[in-house]
């Protein structure tokens, strides 16, 4: 299974200038080849293959001498990625490739000849880039690495993502099965009664800060001025911090659930359809349901556990998990999101609405798993805790519920 480790790197001023040149070269080559392939496809019905694009590279380097400043394999990787993008498009896995912009995240890839010098805290790249300082904040896997991607985020920080190909070993789970229901009031509710929330107060404070900086940016009308670039960088840094806090929470929660449970049952959410509701679109987009489910699935595969998806039309929130009969107050037409606790008239038991839905999801997922009709992921191992590893500034994912020692009043 492939696994990437992302490291912070600190290039010098000259190396930053060289990376900017490489980013521009690869971006130009991508746009040139994409335009050429699209034009030829419209005229002849056939596009350019990777081999055909590679044959054009020597001529382009002679015509545009600055194109040769980038390492040769970095340019060849552009044609490989573009060819893969077209394959994914024609097989229905992705949209049609887009042109790249100089605004936003920039990246290049080194497929080989990169040396990791952990003791010296450096990474040696081929070509003119040379030796770059890096921070190895964790022990690297004892496996062969393939591609190293160097990127510059919109906030100006540089990272190197190293792709390892390692063999995973199954992990014995503590619990047998769990159902997870996702919501807006509480991010995740499990069938065991645990409720997890994003750090809303911290995110709200940063959102307010970003809004103020966006207003300052909007007042800078001269797009070429240095003050506008500085204001844009400030907005990007706050946005990056918000994204990292959210991603940190999602990683910790998904790892906790995937590691502790042999079978993870979730609801197959159509996030693209849900965001069409203009009243809830921003809340749904910010909370990150899709990213969380993706993390949960590949981590379940890594740990050798099963990931089961329940159909999105299964009425998990309308049925009593004891009698499997519909609760009248939760049926469509009478349902209100303000109703969080309900009394079932069939079993005369009071249910927490979200916990009840999570239990129904778990039971339905186990039923589908027994029938062999569910989507599941199997495979892999767990990364052990490394000594000396830096602790995140964000607290570990813990259940915020009554009776829990971490419950906030």
């Amino acid at each position: 299974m492939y696994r990437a480790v992302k490291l912070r790197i600190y290039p010098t001023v000259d190396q930053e200038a060289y990376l900017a040149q490489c980013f521009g070269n690869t971006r130009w080559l991508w746009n040139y080849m994409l335009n050429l392939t699209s034009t030829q496809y419209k005229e002849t019905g056939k596009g350019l293959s990777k081999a055909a694009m590679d044959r054009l590279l020597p001529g382009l380097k002679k015509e545009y001498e600055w194109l040769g400043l980038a390492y040769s394999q970095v340019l060849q990787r552009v044609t490989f990625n573009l060819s893969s993008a077209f394959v994914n498009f024609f097989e229905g896995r992705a949209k049609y490739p887009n042109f790249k912009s100089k605004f936003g995240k920039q990246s290049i890839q080194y497929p080989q000849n990169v040396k990791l010098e952990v003791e010296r805290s450096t990474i040696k790249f081929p070509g003119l880039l040379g030796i770059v300082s890096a921070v190895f904040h964790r022990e690297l896997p004892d496996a062969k690495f393939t591609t190293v991607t160097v990127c510059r985020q919109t906030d100006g920080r540089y990272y190197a993502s190293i792709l390892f190909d390692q063999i995973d070993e199954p992990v014995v789970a503590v619990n047998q099965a769990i159902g997870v229901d996702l919501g807006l009031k509480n991010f995740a509710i499990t069938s065991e009664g645990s409720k997890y929330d994003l750090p809303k107060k911290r995110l709200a404070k940063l959102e307010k800060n970003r809004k103020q900086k966006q207003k300052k940016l909007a007042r800078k009308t001269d797009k070429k001025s240095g003050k506008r670039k500085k204001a844009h960088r400030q907005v990007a840094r706050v946005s990056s911090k918000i994204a990292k806090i959210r991603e940190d929470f999602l990683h910790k929660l998904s790892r906790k659930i995937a590691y502790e449970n042999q079978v993870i049952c979730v609801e197959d959410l159509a996030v693209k359809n849900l965001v069409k509701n203009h009243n809830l679109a921003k809340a749904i987009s910010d909370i990150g349901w899709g990213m969380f489910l993706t993390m949960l699935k590949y981590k379940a595969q890594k740990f050798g556990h099963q990931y089961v998806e329940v159909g999105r039309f299964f009425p998990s929130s309308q049925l009593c998990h004891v009698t499997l009969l519909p609760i009248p107050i939760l049926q469509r037409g009478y349902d209100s999101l303000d109703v969080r606790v309900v009394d079932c008239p069939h079993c005369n038991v009071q249910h927490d609405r979200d916990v009840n839905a999570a239990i129904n999801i778990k039971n339905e997922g186990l039923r589908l798993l027994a029938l062999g009709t569910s989507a599941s992921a199997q495979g892999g191992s767990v990364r052990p805790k490394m000594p000396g590893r830096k602790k995140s500034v964000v607290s570990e994912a813990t259940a915020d519920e009554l009776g829990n020692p971490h419950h906030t009043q």
Side-chain angles (χ1 to χ4, degrees):
M1 181 178 179
Y2 288 103
R3 175 191 166 199
V5 177
K6 191 174 182 180
L7 307 175
R8 178 82 182 273
I9 60 174
Y10 296 89
T12 62
V13 176
D14 294 337
Q15 289 173 336
E16 286 184 4
Y18 176 73
L19 284 174
Q21 177 71 46
C22 293
F23 293 147
N25 290 3
T26 55
R27 184 177 62 247
W28 181 90
L29 182 61
W30 172 282
N31 293 340
Y32 179 87
M33 292 296 182
L34 177 57
N35 178 64
L36 187 63
T37 303
S38 301
T39 303
Q40 182 168 328
Y41 184 80
K42 290 178 181 178
E43 294 176 354
T44 64
K46 293 183 179 180
L48 291 175
S49 64
K50 181 186 183 302
M53 288 188 283
D54 287 338
R55 286 195 294 268
L56 295 175
L57 279 177
L60 290 174
K61 287 183 179 180
K62 292 181 180 179
E63 184 178 357
Y64 306 98
E65 294 182 358
W66 47 265
L67 194 60
L69 294 176
Y71 187 56
S72 59
Q73 292 185 357
V74 169
L75 298 178
Q76 293 172 8
R77 198 66 183 179
V78 174
T79 60
F80 174 82
N81 292 337
L82 183 58
S83 177
S84 300
F86 274 110
V87 170
N88 292 333
F89 167 72
F90 286 113
E91 293 183 0
R93 291 192 298 268
K95 294 183 180 180
Y96 194 82
N98 293 324
F99 290 101
K100 293 186 180 296
S101 170
K102 65 179 180 180
F103 305 103
K105 180 182 176 181
Q106 307 292 322
S107 65
I108 56 175
Q109 289 184 337
Y110 289 86
Q112 57 184 2
N113 298 329
V114 179
K115 296 182 180 179
L116 304 179
E117 299 175 347
V118 182
E119 296 179 355
R120 298 181 180 180
S121 297
T122 58
I123 302 176
K124 186 176 181 181
F125 292 94
L128 298 178
L129 183 57
I131 300 175
V132 181
S133 299
V135 176
F136 293 86
H137 62 285
R138 66 178 64 179
E139 186 176 338
L140 300 180
D142 186 16
K144 182 180 179 181
F145 67 93
T146 55
T147 306
V148 178
T149 303
V150 179
C151 69
R152 184 188 67 203
Q153 301 288 0
T154 54
D155 58 1
R157 293 183 172 93
Y158 291 82
Y159 295 91
S161 182
I162 307 168
L163 187 65
F164 291 89
D165 185 8
Q166 64 179 28
I167 300 175
D168 296 322
E169 298 179 359
V171 175
V172 179
V174 178
N175 305 321
Q176 292 296 322
I178 193 173
V180 182
D181 181 46
L182 303 179
L184 292 176
K185 182 177 177 62
N186 300 111
F187 175 78
I189 304 93
T190 68
S191 55
E192 298 174 347
S194 299
K195 298 182 180 181
Y196 300 89
D197 276 334
L198 285 160
K200 295 180 180 179
K201 290 184 178 180
R202 190 176 184 188
L203 290 175
K205 186 177 180 180
L206 290 172
E207 287 280 2
K208 184 178 180 180
N209 189 8
R210 179 170 63 177
K211 188 176 181 180
Q212 293 173 348
K213 287 181 168 55
Q214 285 174 334
K215 288 182 179 180
K216 292 182 180 180
L217 175 62
R219 297 190 190 104
K220 309 291 189 297
T221 55
D222 186 3
K223 295 185 178 181
K224 295 183 180 180
S225 68
K227 289 184 178 180
R228 179 180 172 82
K229 292 180 181 178
K230 182 179 179 181
H232 187 273
R233 189 162 54 248
Q234 289 176 345
V235 173
R237 286 185 177 180
V238 179
S239 300
S240 176
K241 196 168 187 178
I242 293 173
K244 287 178 180 178
I245 291 174
R246 184 182 296 111
E247 186 178 359
D248 184 85
F249 170 83
L250 297 180
H251 269 299
K252 288 176 178 177
L253 180 58
S254 58
R255 186 187 185 281
K256 175 182 173 64
I257 294 176
Y259 182 76
E260 294 179 352
N261 300 277
Q262 185 67 34
V263 180
I264 301 102
C265 306
V266 298
E267 192 173 7
D268 178 24
L269 296 176
V271 180
K272 291 183 179 180
N273 295 335
L274 293 172
V275 295
K276 293 179 181 179
N277 184 338
H278 299 294
N279 296 324
L280 300 175
K282 187 179 186 305
I284 294 173
S285 300
D286 289 346
I287 205 166
W289 286 341
M291 183 185 296
F292 175 72
L293 293 179
T294 301
M295 292 178 179
L296 199 59
K297 185 173 184 178
Y298 81 75
K299 288 177 183 179
Q301 180 181 1
K302 183 174 75 170
F303 298 146
H305 301 162
Q306 292 178 303
Y307 175 90
V308 183
E309 290 183 345
V310 175
R312 65 191 63 166
F313 298 109
F314 174 70
S316 59
S317 60
Q318 299 176 22
L319 302 178
C320 170
H321 72 272
V322 178
T323 62
L324 297 181
L325 295 175
I327 302 175
I329 195 174
L330 295 181
Q331 288 184 293
R332 293 183 179 180
Y334 303 95
D335 188 10
S336 173
L337 294 177
D338 296 332
V339 179
R340 311 314 305 173
V341 179
V342 295
D343 295 318
C344 177
H346 307 292
C347 63
N348 296 322
V349 177
Q350 189 177 68
H351 299 304
D352 182 292
R353 173 180 179 151
D354 298 323
V355 176
N356 177 70
I359 295 174
N360 284 329
I361 290 173
K362 183 187 77 170
N363 295 336
E364 178 67 8
L366 293 175
R367 186 186 70 85
L368 294 175
L369 187 63
L371 294 175
T373 58
S374 60
S376 62
Q378 296 178 348
S381 87
V382 59
R383 172 177 50 78
K385 292 184 178 180
M386 301 303 173
R389 177 182 171 186
K390 291 184 178 179
K391 188 176 180 180
S392 173
V393 295
V394 182
S395 60
E396 295 287 344
T398 53
D400 186 12
E401 58 175 337
L402 291 174
N404 188 286
H406 300 282
H407 174 69
T408 56
Q409 298 297 331

